[in-house]
Amino acid sequence: MFEKSKIGLALSGGGMKAFVQIPFIEFLQQHKIKIDIIAGTSMGSVVGSLLACGANSDQLSEIMLEIEEYFNENQIFFRPNLKVLPFAKERIDGFVDGNELEVILDKHYQKFKVINIKDCKIPIVVNAVDLNTGKIVIFTSNAELFNKRLDWIIIDDVQLSTAVRASCSLPLVFSTKRYQDLKLVDGGILMNLPIQPCKEMGADHVISVSMFDEQVTNVNDSMISVMMRSIEIFAHANRQLNIHEGDYNFNVPTAQYNLLDVGKGNEIIQYSKEHINREKMKIIKTVNQWQQPLKFLR
């Protein structure tokens, strides 16, 4: 009997830029490339969680665009200005109450009969950061695989929408997520490209998807622009630290887009498809090598 390699998919955060991941997943499904393990950070956790629930590429695209429409109609991801700032202290600890996102995510997960993270069809990791301890928090369907990671906080009995909402809690934009004794913010603060959790979950090979651009970015003098650019720099720094732990990185340069570019989802999807077309033969060739039998079992 032959045992095939397990393939993990690590999806980075990036706000609206993470829409580049949608056509990449479509490409994997069209070419019968089976994903055995998923790890997602921030908006990557939204995409990854839907895939883990069992969504096909059409369902994934439809739901993500519906979520974008919800963001737009409710002015989530809006750009706060200085007139708003003096009143921020009266509005919890972010401009947007992230519980709204939790409700809409839960509605979509229930379409696939998923409530708890353990209900997912594909094993998944969603990461966040606890402000109190400064530690990475790993929400996972398979906590027993992380027994040796004493430096991480491991949680496996949690509602999927709670975990994903915590991972998406971009500082100042979304309010922090209180869960048990934890005060949780965006997982991208410490691990924006979650390759390592895929490995911990037993992946033999990891495909990662990121949205970094080497171009110089001109930042205006607004507080929000400075904050967003600072977060992108943090994300790039930890991407560079762990990108080599993966086996294949599909990166789409997205300097022309902003983390908060609500309304450009379809445009970003089409832009990503152009990059996939240029790299598709390399992707197929690389993954085909992994699909060879890993070992012979007696």
Side-chain angles (χ1 to χ4, degrees):
M1 176 180 176
F2 291 102
E3 179 181 294
K4 288 189 176 181
S5 300
K6 288 185 178 180
I7 298 177
L9 179 65
L11 302 173
S12 79
M16 292 303 301
K17 295 182 180 187
F19 274 61
V20 305
Q21 298 165 352
I22 298 171
F24 186 77
I25 290 171
E26 179 182 21
F27 175 84
L28 296 179
Q29 292 185 346
Q30 286 175 344
H31 289 82
K32 311 298 183 187
I33 297 172
K34 181 176 179 287
I35 296 300
D36 302 288
I37 296 160
I38 299 166
T41 300
S42 195
M43 189 65 86
S45 75
V46 179
V47 176
S49 62
L50 290 167
L51 181 62
C53 284
N56 60 37
S57 57
D58 290 338
Q59 292 169 320
L60 176 60
S61 179
E62 180 182 342
I63 293 172
M64 289 300 297
L65 290 170
E66 186 177 326
I67 291 173
E68 180 192 31
E69 185 178 351
Y70 174 83
F71 286 164
N72 193 34
E73 290 177 353
N74 292 275
Q75 295 188 316
I76 294 176
F77 277 17
F78 73 104
R79 299 168 184 265
N81 56 48
L82 292 175
K83 293 181 181 178
V84 177
L85 295 179
F87 305 101
K89 61 184 179 181
E90 301 173 10
R91 299 190 56 197
I92 51 182
D93 53 8
F95 291 105
V96 178
D97 181 0
N99 291 331
E100 298 176 13
L101 175 61
E102 197 167 339
V103 170
I104 191 171
L105 287 173
D106 195 51
K107 180 190 77 171
H108 288 298
Y109 297 149
Q110 289 190 38
K111 295 176 184 176
F112 299 94
K113 295 181 170 44
V114 171
I115 297 177
N116 193 285
I117 196 168
K118 293 180 180 179
D119 300 329
C120 289
K121 279 71 172 179
I122 301 173
I124 186 172
V125 166
V126 173
N127 59 298
V129 174
D130 176 34
L131 286 180
N132 295 326
T133 62
K135 288 187 175 183
I136 290 173
V137 177
I138 296 292
F139 295 104
T140 176
S141 52
N142 300 74
E144 69 280 0
L145 299 176
F146 294 88
N147 288 337
K148 296 180 180 179
R149 294 306 305 241
L150 301 180
D151 53 329
W152 293 350
I153 298 171
I154 312 298
I155 299 172
D156 67 345
D157 189 12
V158 63
Q159 199 160 317
L160 181 60
S161 57
T162 297
V164 173
R165 177 263 196 265
S167 185
C168 291
S169 297
L170 192 66
L172 290 184
V173 177
F174 282 105
S175 59
T176 56
K177 174 63 181 178
R178 269 73 167 185
Y179 181 77
Q180 298 178 352
D181 296 327
L182 308 176
K183 191 173 183 180
L184 301 168
V185 294
D186 197 296
I189 301 300
L190 290 179
M191 187 193 293
N192 199 51
L193 193 60
I195 295 172
Q196 204 170 0
C198 275
K199 294 283 191 179
E200 297 279 346
M201 292 271 279
D204 299 297
H205 302 283
V206 178
I207 302 170
S208 58
V209 185
S210 57
M211 296 78 66
F212 178 73
D213 202 304
E214 296 284 354
Q215 293 182 24
V216 174
T217 301
N218 294 318
V219 181
N220 64 42
D221 293 331
S222 76
M223 187 195 75
I224 297 302
S225 292
V226 171
M227 182 187 73
M228 290 295 103
R229 181 55 180 161
S230 297
I231 290 172
E232 287 180 334
I233 292 171
F234 292 156
H236 172 56
N238 63 47
R239 170 185 178 270
Q240 293 302 97
L241 286 174
N242 66 13
I243 191 171
H244 299 296
E245 295 179 0
D247 299 274
Y248 177 81
N249 175 247
F250 177 69
N251 182 70
V252 181
T254 51
Q256 69 271 43
Y257 299 110
N258 188 282
L259 294 174
L260 309 183
D261 267 341
V262 174
K264 294 189 178 180
N266 268 316
E267 181 181 328
I268 294 171
I269 287 171
Q270 294 305 315
Y271 177 67
S272 177
K273 286 182 177 180
E274 296 171 8
H275 284 265
I276 292 169
N277 284 334
R278 288 197 290 269
E279 207 163 333
K280 61 184 179 182
M281 296 311 299
K282 181 179 178 182
I283 300 169
I284 294 170
K285 181 179 178 180
T286 300
V287 177
N288 280 344
Q289 293 174 348
W290 302 343
Q291 300 285 23
Q292 299 301 313
L294 182 64
K295 59 184 178 181
F296 185 75
L297 300 179
R298 295 187 181 276

PDB file of all heavy atoms in Angstrom, residues 8-43:
ATOM      1  N   GLY A   8      -0.098  20.798   2.851  1.00  0.00           N
ATOM      2  CA  GLY A   8      -0.685  21.859   3.657  1.00  0.00           C
ATOM      3  C   GLY A   8      -0.786  23.145   2.853  1.00  0.00           C
ATOM      4  O   GLY A   8       0.010  23.380   1.934  1.00  0.00           O
ATOM      5  N   LEU A   9      -1.773  23.959   3.188  1.00  0.00           N
ATOM      6  CA  LEU A   9      -1.969  25.253   2.527  1.00  0.00           C
ATOM      7  C   LEU A   9      -1.947  26.338   3.593  1.00  0.00           C
ATOM      8  O   LEU A   9      -2.789  26.346   4.501  1.00  0.00           O
ATOM      9  CB  LEU A   9      -3.303  25.267   1.782  1.00  0.00           C
ATOM     10  CG  LEU A   9      -3.670  26.569   1.054  1.00  0.00           C
ATOM     11  CD1 LEU A   9      -2.682  26.849  -0.088  1.00  0.00           C
ATOM     12  CD2 LEU A   9      -5.104  26.504   0.518  1.00  0.00           C
ATOM     13  N   ALA A  10      -0.980  27.245   3.517  1.00  0.00           N
ATOM     14  CA  ALA A  10      -0.836  28.345   4.475  1.00  0.00           C
ATOM     15  C   ALA A  10      -1.242  29.647   3.801  1.00  0.00           C
ATOM     16  O   ALA A  10      -0.623  30.069   2.819  1.00  0.00           O
ATOM     17  CB  ALA A  10       0.607  28.435   4.975  1.00  0.00           C
ATOM     18  N   LEU A  11      -2.291  30.278   4.329  1.00  0.00           N
ATOM     19  CA  LEU A  11      -2.855  31.489   3.732  1.00  0.00           C
ATOM     20  C   LEU A  11      -2.574  32.694   4.622  1.00  0.00           C
ATOM     21  O   LEU A  11      -3.008  32.740   5.768  1.00  0.00           O
ATOM     22  CB  LEU A  11      -4.366  31.310   3.544  1.00  0.00           C
ATOM     23  CG  LEU A  11      -4.784  30.116   2.673  1.00  0.00           C
ATOM     24  CD1 LEU A  11      -6.290  29.941   2.705  1.00  0.00           C
ATOM     25  CD2 LEU A  11      -4.284  30.288   1.240  1.00  0.00           C
ATOM     26  N   SER A  12      -1.874  33.669   4.067  1.00  0.00           N
ATOM     27  CA  SER A  12      -1.477  34.827   4.865  1.00  0.00           C
ATOM     28  C   SER A  12      -2.614  35.828   5.007  1.00  0.00           C
ATOM     29  O   SER A  12      -3.589  35.820   4.252  1.00  0.00           O
ATOM     30  CB  SER A  12      -0.267  35.521   4.235  1.00  0.00           C
ATOM     31  OG  SER A  12      -0.663  36.334   3.159  1.00  0.00           O
ATOM     32  N   GLY A  13      -2.451  36.718   5.985  1.00  0.00           N
ATOM     33  CA  GLY A  13      -3.369  37.832   6.127  1.00  0.00           C
ATOM     34  C   GLY A  13      -3.018  38.926   5.137  1.00  0.00           C
ATOM     35  O   GLY A  13      -1.973  38.903   4.489  1.00  0.00           O
ATOM     36  N   GLY A  14      -3.911  39.907   5.024  1.00  0.00           N
ATOM     37  CA  GLY A  14      -3.655  41.004   4.091  1.00  0.00           C
ATOM     38  C   GLY A  14      -4.897  41.816   3.789  1.00  0.00           C
ATOM     39  O   GLY A  14      -4.945  42.515   2.780  1.00  0.00           O
ATOM     40  N   GLY A  15      -5.907  41.704   4.655  1.00  0.00           N
ATOM     41  CA  GLY A  15      -7.132  42.449   4.398  1.00  0.00           C
ATOM     42  C   GLY A  15      -7.721  42.071   3.048  1.00  0.00           C
ATOM     43  O   GLY A  15      -7.749  40.903   2.667  1.00  0.00           O
ATOM     44  N   MET A  16      -8.155  43.073   2.301  1.00  0.00           N
ATOM     45  CA  MET A  16      -8.785  42.814   1.002  1.00  0.00           C
ATOM     46  C   MET A  16      -7.808  42.191   0.004  1.00  0.00           C
ATOM     47  O   MET A  16      -8.230  41.546  -0.965  1.00  0.00           O
ATOM     48  CB  MET A  16      -9.358  44.115   0.439  1.00  0.00           C
ATOM     49  CG  MET A  16     -10.543  44.646   1.227  1.00  0.00           C
ATOM     50  SD  MET A  16     -11.902  43.459   1.362  1.00  0.00           S
ATOM     51  CE  MET A  16     -12.278  43.188  -0.360  1.00  0.00           C
ATOM     52  N   LYS A  17      -6.517  42.353   0.229  1.00  0.00           N
ATOM     53  CA  LYS A  17      -5.535  41.747  -0.672  1.00  0.00           C
ATOM     54  C   LYS A  17      -5.651  40.222  -0.688  1.00  0.00           C
ATOM     55  O   LYS A  17      -5.267  39.573  -1.660  1.00  0.00           O
ATOM     56  CB  LYS A  17      -4.119  42.134  -0.244  1.00  0.00           C
ATOM     57  CG  LYS A  17      -3.802  43.619  -0.368  1.00  0.00           C
ATOM     58  CD  LYS A  17      -2.366  43.876   0.030  1.00  0.00           C
ATOM     59  CE  LYS A  17      -2.002  45.355  -0.092  1.00  0.00           C
ATOM     60  NZ  LYS A  17      -0.559  45.582   0.129  1.00  0.00           N
ATOM     61  N   ALA A  18      -6.188  39.652   0.389  1.00  0.00           N
ATOM     62  CA  ALA A  18      -6.292  38.196   0.504  1.00  0.00           C
ATOM     63  C   ALA A  18      -7.258  37.607  -0.517  1.00  0.00           C
ATOM     64  O   ALA A  18      -7.320  36.383  -0.676  1.00  0.00           O
ATOM     65  CB  ALA A  18      -6.712  37.806   1.913  1.00  0.00           C
ATOM     66  N   PHE A  19      -7.980  38.451  -1.242  1.00  0.00           N
ATOM     67  CA  PHE A  19      -8.847  37.939  -2.310  1.00  0.00           C
ATOM     68  C   PHE A  19      -8.032  37.281  -3.415  1.00  0.00           C
ATOM     69  O   PHE A  19      -8.586  36.546  -4.235  1.00  0.00           O
ATOM     70  CB  PHE A  19      -9.725  39.066  -2.871  1.00  0.00           C
ATOM     71  CG  PHE A  19     -11.010  39.268  -2.104  1.00  0.00           C
ATOM     72  CD1 PHE A  19     -10.983  39.623  -0.763  1.00  0.00           C
ATOM     73  CD2 PHE A  19     -12.240  39.105  -2.714  1.00  0.00           C
ATOM     74  CE1 PHE A  19     -12.161  39.805  -0.040  1.00  0.00           C
ATOM     75  CE2 PHE A  19     -13.425  39.279  -2.014  1.00  0.00           C
ATOM     76  CZ  PHE A  19     -13.382  39.625  -0.671  1.00  0.00           C
ATOM     77  N   VAL A  20      -6.720  37.506  -3.461  1.00  0.00           N
ATOM     78  CA  VAL A  20      -5.880  36.816  -4.449  1.00  0.00           C
ATOM     79  C   VAL A  20      -5.884  35.313  -4.206  1.00  0.00           C
ATOM     80  O   VAL A  20      -5.582  34.521  -5.113  1.00  0.00           O
ATOM     81  CB  VAL A  20      -4.416  37.331  -4.437  1.00  0.00           C
ATOM     82  CG1 VAL A  20      -4.359  38.836  -4.633  1.00  0.00           C
ATOM     83  CG2 VAL A  20      -3.681  36.918  -3.166  1.00  0.00           C
ATOM     84  N   GLN A  21      -6.240  34.895  -2.993  1.00  0.00           N
ATOM     85  CA  GLN A  21      -6.202  33.471  -2.645  1.00  0.00           C
ATOM     86  C   GLN A  21      -7.366  32.696  -3.253  1.00  0.00           C
ATOM     87  O   GLN A  21      -7.287  31.480  -3.435  1.00  0.00           O
ATOM     88  CB  GLN A  21      -6.215  33.332  -1.114  1.00  0.00           C
ATOM     89  CG  GLN A  21      -4.996  33.965  -0.451  1.00  0.00           C
ATOM     90  CD  GLN A  21      -5.155  34.159   1.051  1.00  0.00           C
ATOM     91  OE1 GLN A  21      -6.241  33.961   1.602  1.00  0.00           O
ATOM     92  NE2 GLN A  21      -4.088  34.548   1.716  1.00  0.00           N
ATOM     93  N   ILE A  22      -8.447  33.395  -3.566  1.00  0.00           N
ATOM     94  CA  ILE A  22      -9.650  32.726  -4.071  1.00  0.00           C
ATOM     95  C   ILE A  22      -9.390  32.014  -5.406  1.00  0.00           C
ATOM     96  O   ILE A  22      -9.671  30.812  -5.534  1.00  0.00           O
ATOM     97  CB  ILE A  22     -10.811  33.722  -4.185  1.00  0.00           C
ATOM     98  CG1 ILE A  22     -11.155  34.275  -2.794  1.00  0.00           C
ATOM     99  CG2 ILE A  22     -12.031  33.067  -4.827  1.00  0.00           C
ATOM    100  CD1 ILE A  22     -12.143  35.432  -2.819  1.00  0.00           C
ATOM    101  N   PRO A  23      -8.852  32.685  -6.430  1.00  0.00           N
ATOM    102  CA  PRO A  23      -8.590  31.966  -7.691  1.00  0.00           C
ATOM    103  C   PRO A  23      -7.483  30.930  -7.572  1.00  0.00           C
ATOM    104  O   PRO A  23      -7.471  29.960  -8.336  1.00  0.00           O
ATOM    105  CB  PRO A  23      -8.219  33.081  -8.675  1.00  0.00           C
ATOM    106  CG  PRO A  23      -7.813  34.233  -7.845  1.00  0.00           C
ATOM    107  CD  PRO A  23      -8.596  34.132  -6.574  1.00  0.00           C
ATOM    108  N   PHE A  24      -6.584  31.109  -6.609  1.00  0.00           N
ATOM    109  CA  PHE A  24      -5.528  30.102  -6.425  1.00  0.00           C
ATOM    110  C   PHE A  24      -6.143  28.796  -5.934  1.00  0.00           C
ATOM    111  O   PHE A  24      -5.792  27.707  -6.403  1.00  0.00           O
ATOM    112  CB  PHE A  24      -4.467  30.597  -5.448  1.00  0.00           C
ATOM    113  CG  PHE A  24      -3.289  29.666  -5.332  1.00  0.00           C
ATOM    114  CD1 PHE A  24      -2.319  29.636  -6.313  1.00  0.00           C
ATOM    115  CD2 PHE A  24      -3.160  28.806  -4.248  1.00  0.00           C
ATOM    116  CE1 PHE A  24      -1.237  28.768  -6.225  1.00  0.00           C
ATOM    117  CE2 PHE A  24      -2.086  27.940  -4.141  1.00  0.00           C
ATOM    118  CZ  PHE A  24      -1.120  27.918  -5.138  1.00  0.00           C
ATOM    119  N   ILE A  25      -7.077  28.892  -5.007  1.00  0.00           N
ATOM    120  CA  ILE A  25      -7.775  27.698  -4.525  1.00  0.00           C
ATOM    121  C   ILE A  25      -8.604  27.083  -5.652  1.00  0.00           C
ATOM    122  O   ILE A  25      -8.668  25.858  -5.796  1.00  0.00           O
ATOM    123  CB  ILE A  25      -8.645  28.048  -3.303  1.00  0.00           C
ATOM    124  CG1 ILE A  25      -7.736  28.357  -2.108  1.00  0.00           C
ATOM    125  CG2 ILE A  25      -9.616  26.919  -2.974  1.00  0.00           C
ATOM    126  CD1 ILE A  25      -8.453  28.923  -0.902  1.00  0.00           C
ATOM    127  N   GLU A  26      -9.211  27.932  -6.465  1.00  0.00           N
ATOM    128  CA  GLU A  26      -9.955  27.441  -7.626  1.00  0.00           C
ATOM    129  C   GLU A  26      -9.033  26.642  -8.552  1.00  0.00           C
ATOM    130  O   GLU A  26      -9.404  25.571  -9.049  1.00  0.00           O
ATOM    131  CB  GLU A  26     -10.578  28.606  -8.387  1.00  0.00           C
ATOM    132  CG  GLU A  26     -11.357  28.198  -9.621  1.00  0.00           C
ATOM    133  CD  GLU A  26     -11.924  29.379 -10.393  1.00  0.00           C
ATOM    134  OE1 GLU A  26     -11.400  30.507 -10.223  1.00  0.00           O
ATOM    135  OE2 GLU A  26     -12.880  29.189 -11.155  1.00  0.00           O
ATOM    136  N   PHE A  27      -7.837  27.161  -8.768  1.00  0.00           N
ATOM    137  CA  PHE A  27      -6.850  26.486  -9.611  1.00  0.00           C
ATOM    138  C   PHE A  27      -6.494  25.114  -9.026  1.00  0.00           C
ATOM    139  O   PHE A  27      -6.432  24.113  -9.754  1.00  0.00           O
ATOM    140  CB  PHE A  27      -5.598  27.355  -9.730  1.00  0.00           C
ATOM    141  CG  PHE A  27      -4.467  26.709 -10.468  1.00  0.00           C
ATOM    142  CD1 PHE A  27      -4.414  26.748 -11.849  1.00  0.00           C
ATOM    143  CD2 PHE A  27      -3.450  26.062  -9.780  1.00  0.00           C
ATOM    144  CE1 PHE A  27      -3.369  26.141 -12.541  1.00  0.00           C
ATOM    145  CE2 PHE A  27      -2.400  25.457 -10.455  1.00  0.00           C
ATOM    146  CZ  PHE A  27      -2.360  25.498 -11.841  1.00  0.00           C
ATOM    147  N   LEU A  28      -6.264  25.061  -7.709  1.00  0.00           N
ATOM    148  CA  LEU A  28      -5.931  23.788  -7.066  1.00  0.00           C
ATOM    149  C   LEU A  28      -7.059  22.774  -7.251  1.00  0.00           C
ATOM    150  O   LEU A  28      -6.816  21.599  -7.562  1.00  0.00           O
ATOM    151  CB  LEU A  28      -5.662  23.999  -5.580  1.00  0.00           C
ATOM    152  CG  LEU A  28      -4.454  24.859  -5.191  1.00  0.00           C
ATOM    153  CD1 LEU A  28      -4.365  24.982  -3.676  1.00  0.00           C
ATOM    154  CD2 LEU A  28      -3.154  24.287  -5.750  1.00  0.00           C
ATOM    155  N   GLN A  29      -8.292  23.226  -7.069  1.00  0.00           N
ATOM    156  CA  GLN A  29      -9.429  22.313  -7.186  1.00  0.00           C
ATOM    157  C   GLN A  29      -9.627  21.846  -8.622  1.00  0.00           C
ATOM    158  O   GLN A  29      -9.935  20.672  -8.868  1.00  0.00           O
ATOM    159  CB  GLN A  29     -10.691  22.984  -6.647  1.00  0.00           C
ATOM    160  CG  GLN A  29     -10.660  23.205  -5.135  1.00  0.00           C
ATOM    161  CD  GLN A  29     -11.957  23.750  -4.577  1.00  0.00           C
ATOM    162  OE1 GLN A  29     -12.833  24.212  -5.305  1.00  0.00           O
ATOM    163  NE2 GLN A  29     -12.089  23.709  -3.254  1.00  0.00           N
ATOM    164  N   GLN A  30      -9.427  22.746  -9.578  1.00  0.00           N
ATOM    165  CA  GLN A  30      -9.581  22.372 -10.991  1.00  0.00           C
ATOM    166  C   GLN A  30      -8.568  21.308 -11.401  1.00  0.00           C
ATOM    167  O   GLN A  30      -8.856  20.471 -12.261  1.00  0.00           O
ATOM    168  CB  GLN A  30      -9.426  23.608 -11.874  1.00  0.00           C
ATOM    169  CG  GLN A  30     -10.622  24.559 -11.834  1.00  0.00           C
ATOM    170  CD  GLN A  30     -10.368  25.836 -12.623  1.00  0.00           C
ATOM    171  OE1 GLN A  30      -9.220  26.155 -12.954  1.00  0.00           O
ATOM    172  NE2 GLN A  30     -11.430  26.558 -12.921  1.00  0.00           N
ATOM    173  N   HIS A  31      -7.378  21.355 -10.779  1.00  0.00           N
ATOM    174  CA  HIS A  31      -6.322  20.412 -11.138  1.00  0.00           C
ATOM    175  C   HIS A  31      -6.223  19.255 -10.150  1.00  0.00           C
ATOM    176  O   HIS A  31      -5.205  18.553 -10.104  1.00  0.00           O
ATOM    177  CB  HIS A  31      -4.986  21.157 -11.253  1.00  0.00           C
ATOM    178  CG  HIS A  31      -4.908  22.055 -12.452  1.00  0.00           C
ATOM    179  ND1 HIS A  31      -5.445  23.324 -12.457  1.00  0.00           N
ATOM    180  CD2 HIS A  31      -4.400  21.850 -13.702  1.00  0.00           C
ATOM    181  CE1 HIS A  31      -5.256  23.875 -13.642  1.00  0.00           C
ATOM    182  NE2 HIS A  31      -4.641  23.003 -14.411  1.00  0.00           N
ATOM    183  N   LYS A  32      -7.304  19.054  -9.389  1.00  0.00           N
ATOM    184  CA  LYS A  32      -7.406  17.902  -8.482  1.00  0.00           C
ATOM    185  C   LYS A  32      -6.239  17.821  -7.495  1.00  0.00           C
ATOM    186  O   LYS A  32      -5.780  16.727  -7.136  1.00  0.00           O
ATOM    187  CB  LYS A  32      -7.474  16.590  -9.285  1.00  0.00           C
ATOM    188  CG  LYS A  32      -8.492  16.587 -10.416  1.00  0.00           C
ATOM    189  CD  LYS A  32      -9.912  16.782  -9.916  1.00  0.00           C
ATOM    190  CE  LYS A  32     -10.916  16.704 -11.069  1.00  0.00           C
ATOM    191  NZ  LYS A  32     -12.302  17.051 -10.657  1.00  0.00           N
ATOM    192  N   ILE A  33      -5.747  18.975  -7.079  1.00  0.00           N
ATOM    193  CA  ILE A  33      -4.687  19.012  -6.077  1.00  0.00           C
ATOM    194  C   ILE A  33      -5.343  19.048  -4.697  1.00  0.00           C
ATOM    195  O   ILE A  33      -5.953  20.035  -4.312  1.00  0.00           O
ATOM    196  CB  ILE A  33      -3.767  20.239  -6.283  1.00  0.00           C
ATOM    197  CG1 ILE A  33      -3.072  20.126  -7.649  1.00  0.00           C
ATOM    198  CG2 ILE A  33      -2.733  20.331  -5.157  1.00  0.00           C
ATOM    199  CD1 ILE A  33      -2.301  21.362  -8.054  1.00  0.00           C
ATOM    200  N   LYS A  34      -5.230  17.958  -3.990  1.00  0.00           N
ATOM    201  CA  LYS A  34      -5.925  17.789  -2.718  1.00  0.00           C
ATOM    202  C   LYS A  34      -5.141  18.456  -1.583  1.00  0.00           C
ATOM    203  O   LYS A  34      -3.953  18.206  -1.404  1.00  0.00           O
ATOM    204  CB  LYS A  34      -6.111  16.305  -2.420  1.00  0.00           C
ATOM    205  CG  LYS A  34      -6.858  16.012  -1.120  1.00  0.00           C
ATOM    206  CD  LYS A  34      -7.074  14.513  -0.984  1.00  0.00           C
ATOM    207  CE  LYS A  34      -7.794  14.172   0.321  1.00  0.00           C
ATOM    208  NZ  LYS A  34      -6.934  14.325   1.500  1.00  0.00           N
ATOM    209  N   ILE A  35      -5.833  19.296  -0.839  1.00  0.00           N
ATOM    210  CA  ILE A  35      -5.241  19.936   0.334  1.00  0.00           C
ATOM    211  C   ILE A  35      -5.675  19.152   1.574  1.00  0.00           C
ATOM    212  O   ILE A  35      -6.860  18.943   1.809  1.00  0.00           O
ATOM    213  CB  ILE A  35      -5.690  21.409   0.445  1.00  0.00           C
ATOM    214  CG1 ILE A  35      -5.180  22.201  -0.754  1.00  0.00           C
ATOM    215  CG2 ILE A  35      -5.193  22.018   1.751  1.00  0.00           C
ATOM    216  CD1 ILE A  35      -3.667  22.232  -0.904  1.00  0.00           C
ATOM    217  N   ASP A  36      -4.697  18.723   2.366  1.00  0.00           N
ATOM    218  CA  ASP A  36      -4.973  17.883   3.528  1.00  0.00           C
ATOM    219  C   ASP A  36      -5.024  18.670   4.835  1.00  0.00           C
ATOM    220  O   ASP A  36      -5.643  18.225   5.805  1.00  0.00           O
ATOM    221  CB  ASP A  36      -3.896  16.801   3.651  1.00  0.00           C
ATOM    222  CG  ASP A  36      -3.813  15.933   2.407  1.00  0.00           C
ATOM    223  OD1 ASP A  36      -4.727  15.120   2.200  1.00  0.00           O
ATOM    224  OD2 ASP A  36      -2.839  16.086   1.642  1.00  0.00           O
ATOM    225  N   ILE A  37      -4.359  19.825   4.863  1.00  0.00           N
ATOM    226  CA  ILE A  37      -4.254  20.623   6.080  1.00  0.00           C
ATOM    227  C   ILE A  37      -4.282  22.098   5.682  1.00  0.00           C
ATOM    228  O   ILE A  37      -3.667  22.489   4.679  1.00  0.00           O
ATOM    229  CB  ILE A  37      -2.938  20.322   6.832  1.00  0.00           C
ATOM    230  CG1 ILE A  37      -2.916  18.862   7.317  1.00  0.00           C
ATOM    231  CG2 ILE A  37      -2.741  21.265   8.013  1.00  0.00           C
ATOM    232  CD1 ILE A  37      -1.534  18.351   7.621  1.00  0.00           C
ATOM    233  N   ILE A  38      -4.977  22.921   6.469  1.00  0.00           N
ATOM    234  CA  ILE A  38      -5.086  24.352   6.169  1.00  0.00           C
ATOM    235  C   ILE A  38      -4.682  25.162   7.390  1.00  0.00           C
ATOM    236  O   ILE A  38      -5.028  24.826   8.527  1.00  0.00           O
ATOM    237  CB  ILE A  38      -6.534  24.722   5.781  1.00  0.00           C
ATOM    238  CG1 ILE A  38      -6.977  23.955   4.535  1.00  0.00           C
ATOM    239  CG2 ILE A  38      -6.673  26.227   5.544  1.00  0.00           C
ATOM    240  CD1 ILE A  38      -8.471  24.015   4.284  1.00  0.00           C
ATOM    241  N   ALA A  39      -3.938  26.249   7.162  1.00  0.00           N
ATOM    242  CA  ALA A  39      -3.656  27.226   8.216  1.00  0.00           C
ATOM    243  C   ALA A  39      -3.898  28.615   7.635  1.00  0.00           C
ATOM    244  O   ALA A  39      -3.458  28.907   6.518  1.00  0.00           O
ATOM    245  CB  ALA A  39      -2.213  27.103   8.723  1.00  0.00           C
ATOM    246  N   GLY A  40      -4.617  29.447   8.372  1.00  0.00           N
ATOM    247  CA  GLY A  40      -4.929  30.782   7.865  1.00  0.00           C
ATOM    248  C   GLY A  40      -4.786  31.846   8.930  1.00  0.00           C
ATOM    249  O   GLY A  40      -5.097  31.627  10.100  1.00  0.00           O
ATOM    250  N   THR A  41      -4.301  32.989   8.494  1.00  0.00           N
ATOM    251  CA  THR A  41      -4.144  34.144   9.378  1.00  0.00           C
ATOM    252  C   THR A  41      -5.019  35.284   8.884  1.00  0.00           C
ATOM    253  O   THR A  41      -5.065  35.568   7.692  1.00  0.00           O
ATOM    254  CB  THR A  41      -2.677  34.618   9.393  1.00  0.00           C
ATOM    255  OG1 THR A  41      -1.851  33.563   9.862  1.00  0.00           O
ATOM    256  CG2 THR A  41      -2.501  35.830  10.293  1.00  0.00           C
ATOM    257  N   SER A  42      -5.709  35.947   9.804  1.00  0.00           N
ATOM    258  CA  SER A  42      -6.490  37.133   9.503  1.00  0.00           C
ATOM    259  C   SER A  42      -7.454  36.848   8.342  1.00  0.00           C
ATOM    260  O   SER A  42      -8.203  35.894   8.387  1.00  0.00           O
ATOM    261  CB  SER A  42      -5.553  38.312   9.226  1.00  0.00           C
ATOM    262  OG  SER A  42      -6.241  39.540   9.271  1.00  0.00           O
ATOM    263  N   MET A  43      -7.452  37.664   7.281  1.00  0.00           N
ATOM    264  CA  MET A  43      -8.367  37.408   6.182  1.00  0.00           C
ATOM    265  C   MET A  43      -8.089  36.059   5.520  1.00  0.00           C
ATOM    266  O   MET A  43      -8.992  35.417   4.965  1.00  0.00           O
ATOM    267  CB  MET A  43      -8.310  38.530   5.146  1.00  0.00           C
ATOM    268  CG  MET A  43      -9.395  38.431   4.081  1.00  0.00           C
ATOM    269  SD  MET A  43     -11.080  38.623   4.717  1.00  0.00           S
ATOM    270  CE  MET A  43     -11.223  40.418   4.671  1.00  0.00           C
TER     271      MET A  43
END
